């Protein structure tokens, strides 16, 4: 039970530390320090290869609580988005976002984008993106390559939204997957 509480608190401190709340600016630096400490306790920092850390990580993943309170929170942080630029052999270019046909895929994709965006490892991020690209590749014939744009979505403030402002997309990373790199 304590572990669940720590994971939940960690997500709250992440939101405060990133400035996604209406708390004063001083709370941000304090929350980052607390999140670092809590993250260490729940195995979020890869500073040690100890059996205790591995045990905690295994428990969190098996029990499905590694995402903590942030998944259920009423706070909606700025999110991540992936846009696929599909380049065909005949020169056409189409744009689409990864999606699925199953019920609940939208929430799963949102969670996956969050996992990709928060990943500390470029190799892990690129690997997950390649897996998504491979599933899209099989649905489109004649592709030469897929250019992936991964970034953050910034939502307007309430005042800006009321005046008609839309969200903005800021590209963080780009990836290109060629035909020869895809499994057949």
């Amino acid at each position: 039970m304590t572990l669940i509480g720590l994971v939940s608190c960690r997500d709250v401190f992440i939101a405060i530390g990133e400035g996604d709340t209406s708390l004063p600016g001083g709370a941000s630096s304090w929350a980052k320090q607390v999140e670092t400490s809590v993250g260490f306790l729940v195995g979020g920092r890869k500073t040690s290869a100890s059996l205790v850390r591995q045990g905690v990580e295994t428990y969190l993943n098996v029990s499905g609580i590694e995402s903590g309170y942030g998944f259920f929170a009423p706070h909606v942080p700025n999110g991540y988005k992936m846009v696929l630029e599909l380049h065909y052999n005949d020169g056409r270019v189409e744009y689409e976002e990864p999606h699925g046909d199953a019920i609940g895929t939208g929430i799963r994709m949102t969670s996956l984008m969050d996992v990709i965006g928060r990943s500390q490892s470029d190799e892990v991020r690129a690997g997950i993106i390649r897996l998504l690209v491979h599933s899209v590749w099989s649905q489109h014939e004649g592709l030469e390559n897929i250019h992936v744009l991964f970034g953050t979505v910034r939502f307007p403030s309430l005042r800006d939204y009321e005046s008609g402002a839309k969200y903005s997309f800021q590209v963080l990373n780009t990836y290109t997957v060629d035909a020869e790199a895809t499994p057949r």
Side-chain angles (χ1 to χ4, degrees):
M1 195 63 151
T2 302
L3 199 53
I4 294 170
L6 286 173
V7 171
S8 298
C9 288
R10 180 177 179 215
D11 283 353
V12 170
F13 290 124
I14 288 173
I16 295 169
E18 291 178 353
D20 292 336
T21 67
S22 58
L23 294 174
S28 177
S29 61
W30 172 81
K32 286 179 183 178
Q33 292 173 348
V34 173
E35 185 275 324
T36 300
S37 300
V38 173
F40 179 77
L41 291 173
V42 297
R45 302 287 183 240
K46 309 293 188 221
T47 57
S48 134
S50 74
L51 290 175
V52 173
R53 182 185 57 79
Q54 291 175 0
V56 168
E57 284 183 352
T58 301
Y59 173 75
L60 292 173
N61 284 302
V62 168
S63 63
I65 62 171
E66 75 278 359
S67 59
Y69 179 74
F71 184 78
F72 300 102
H75 160 72
V76 179
N78 291 323
Y80 297 95
K81 180 178 179 176
M82 183 182 299
V83 177
L84 305 175
E85 190 177 77
L86 310 173
H87 292 262
Y88 290 88
N89 294 330
D90 62 7
R92 285 182 296 137
V93 176
E94 294 177 358
Y95 295 89
E96 78 173 45
E97 294 180 37
H99 62 281
D101 298 328
I103 295 173
T105 301
I107 191 74
R108 289 183 187 105
M109 288 303 291
T110 300
S111 296
L112 181 61
M113 293 300 122
D114 193 48
V115 167
I116 294 170
R118 290 186 188 266
S119 174
Q120 300 294 324
S121 167
D122 290 333
E123 293 83 19
V124 169
R125 188 179 306 117
I128 295 171
I129 288 173
R130 274 192 213 98
L131 288 173
L132 281 172
V133 167
H134 293 309
S135 68
V136 170
W137 200 286
S138 64
Q139 299 170 5
H140 299 273
E141 292 202 22
L143 282 175
E144 184 175 295
N145 65 44
I146 298 177
H147 190 70
V148 181
L149 305 169
F150 184 79
T152 58
V153 175
R154 298 274 179 208
F155 295 100
S157 67
L158 181 57
R159 179 175 291 142
D160 292 339
Y161 178 77
E162 287 174 340
S163 65
K166 305 281 186 201
Y167 72 87
S168 62
F169 178 61
Q170 179 183 1
V171 176
L172 298 175
N173 297 65
T174 60
Y175 306 87
T176 300
V177 179
D178 294 318
E180 58 271 2
T182 61
R184 302 279 169 170

